[in-house]
Amino acid sequence: MPAVPTSAIAATGLVGGYAAARWTKKRPLGGVALAAAGAVAAREWRRRAGNATAVALGGAYVAAFAGSHPLAKKIGAWPSVCAVAGGVALASWVAVDRRK
C-alpha cells in the first residue's frame, strides 16, 4: 500500500480541525482533529526525513495554525485556513514527499 503524502496529512489537519470546530461549534473537537493529524504528520516527517525536518515542519504547522487567526481578520476565515494549509503542504512536499 502506498504511503499517504505527509503534505496531505498536514493540510487535512489544518482544514479538518477548522471545519470540525466551525460546524460542530465545539472548538475542542477541532483541536483534537488538528492535534491528531499533526501528530501523525510529525511521526511521518521524523520517520521519512529525520528529527531536524520534523521539528522544522512541526513548527511550521503550529505557526500556520496561530497565523491563520490574524490572517482571517484580513481575508476571511476559510481563505486564511486554506492559505496556511497550502503553505504547510508545500513545505512538507518540498522537504519530505518529493524525495520518493
Side-chain angles (χ1 to χ4, degrees):
M1 176 192 281
V4 175
T6 61
S7 55
I9 297 167
T12 299
L14 288 161
V15 173
Y18 175 69
R22 174 130 184 191
W23 290 328
T24 66
K25 306 227 185 291
K26 294 182 180 8
R27 291 181 77 180
L29 182 60
V32 168
L34 177 80
V40 170
R43 185 190 70 218
E44 289 302 307
W45 291 328
R46 182 173 177 243
R47 186 177 71 78
R48 296 180 196 181
N51 286 334
T53 300
V55 168
L57 290 172
Y61 187 81
V62 172
F65 167 70
S68 69
H69 292 83
L71 183 60
K73 292 180 182 186
K74 295 181 186 283
I75 66 172
W78 276 112
S80 173
V81 170
C82 291
V84 300
V88 171
L90 178 62
S92 182
W93 180 81
V94 167
V96 179
D97 297 334
R98 75 175 177 161
R99 292 181 177 194
K100 284 190 168 193

